Each structure stands twice: as C-alpha cells, then as structure tokens.
Amino acid sequence: MKQNKKKIIPLDKFIDFALYNKKRGFYMKQNPFGSKGDFITAPDISIIFSEMITIWIVSFWEYLKKPKKINIIDMGGGNGEMMSRIMKTSLKFSSFNRSCNFIIFERSDYLKKIQKKKLINYKINWINSLEKIENV
C-alpha cells in the first residue's frame, strides 16, 4: 500500500501562491474588482470612503505637526480607485499635498498597468517590495 505524504505549507506562503503565482495567481491575469469582477471594494461603491480616509490622513499629518515630507502608501492598490480619490481630495489641501510622497505597493504587474492608466496624471511611485520605501 502506497502511503500518501501531505506537504504542509505555512498560511502566508499559501496565500502568496494563491494570489501572486505568475501563472495561476488570482491578481496576476485579471481585474477582480468592480461590478464586472469577483468583488467590489468600498472605494468602488462610493467616493466618500476614500475622501474620509484622506481627511483622516490630513488630520493625522496635522497632529504630527505638519512634517515637510510624509509617505502615503497604498498597500495593494487594486484597480487604483482609492489612490485616485485620495490624490484628488488631497489637492484641496495644498500644503499637505506638497509634503506627500505617494506610493503604491503592488506585486501584480497586471494590476499595476490598470493603476498606471487610471493615475496617469499623478506623481506616484510604485514598489513591489517594502524594502524599497525610502525615507523622504
């Protein structure tokens, strides 16, 4: 009788494979966001969500005594909708906007293309590793 050996992998490695495997990863070949995708996120439902996030970020920046430089990082930019709204709303706070270094952490080249198309008129840095974040 042949014995079945099960290979156990840690959850983080399973999730990484399921989402970002070059051939089969969920985020690597399709846009799962929006009404035509697999699910809808809050930024796709209403601009209010992203506007409120921006107001909170501005308030926190003020609490920090308005540093001259601050990184605003979107961890997994999805279809770029939230960062698009954050950028548009931040323009209403000019001194805050001037201090911002906007960054999207995105590992999917497919989603990066969607984000770059949506955010073509904004200065954003894309990274695929957190080690690439520089102090501003």
Side-chain angles (χ1 to χ4, degrees):
M1 191 190 282
K2 199 173 193 181
Q3 192 174 23
N4 186 7
K5 290 187 178 185
K6 294 180 182 179
K7 184 176 178 184
I8 299 173
I9 63 171
L11 180 61
D12 63 324
K13 295 208 184 302
F14 171 77
I15 291 171
D16 183 67
F17 179 83
L19 299 180
Y20 299 106
N21 175 274
K22 293 284 186 200
K23 291 182 181 178
R24 296 188 181 115
F26 186 71
Y27 292 133
M28 302 307 278
K29 305 257 185 221
Q30 64 181 352
N31 180 2
F33 306 103
S35 60
K36 295 180 182 175
D38 291 329
F39 55 91
I40 296 176
T41 59
D44 291 315
I45 293 171
S46 171
I47 64 172
I48 294 171
F49 178 81
S50 301
E51 289 176 338
M52 291 184 68
I53 294 289
T54 309
I55 299 303
W56 182 87
I57 294 169
V58 171
S59 297
F60 188 70
W61 173 76
E62 290 173 343
Y63 173 79
L64 294 174
K65 300 188 178 8
K66 300 181 180 182
K68 291 181 182 177
K69 293 291 178 189
I70 187 169
N71 288 330
I72 308 299
I73 306 168
D74 187 344
M75 302 286 290
N79 62 9
E81 184 62 29
M82 186 165 82
M83 185 58 91
S84 172
R85 294 297 175 180
I86 287 173
M87 300 287 298
K88 287 176 185 172
T89 305
S90 72
L91 292 172
K92 297 175 182 175
F93 304 91
S94 57
S95 60
F96 167 74
N97 187 268
R98 283 191 303 274
S99 73
C100 291
N101 179 30
F102 293 100
I103 300 169
I104 295 179
F105 172 74
E106 182 60 66
R107 293 179 49 203
S108 167
D109 290 335
Y110 183 85
L111 292 178
K112 256 186 240 182
K113 287 178 188 174
I114 292 170
Q115 295 161 9
K116 288 182 177 186
K117 187 176 179 181
K118 184 174 278 191
L119 299 162
I120 194 166
N121 295 320
Y122 298 104
K123 185 178 184 270
I124 298 176
N125 298 306
W126 274 267
I127 59 171
N128 58 8
S129 169
L130 295 178
E131 287 80 29
K132 298 203 176 171
I133 298 172
E134 297 179 17
N135 292 334
V136 290

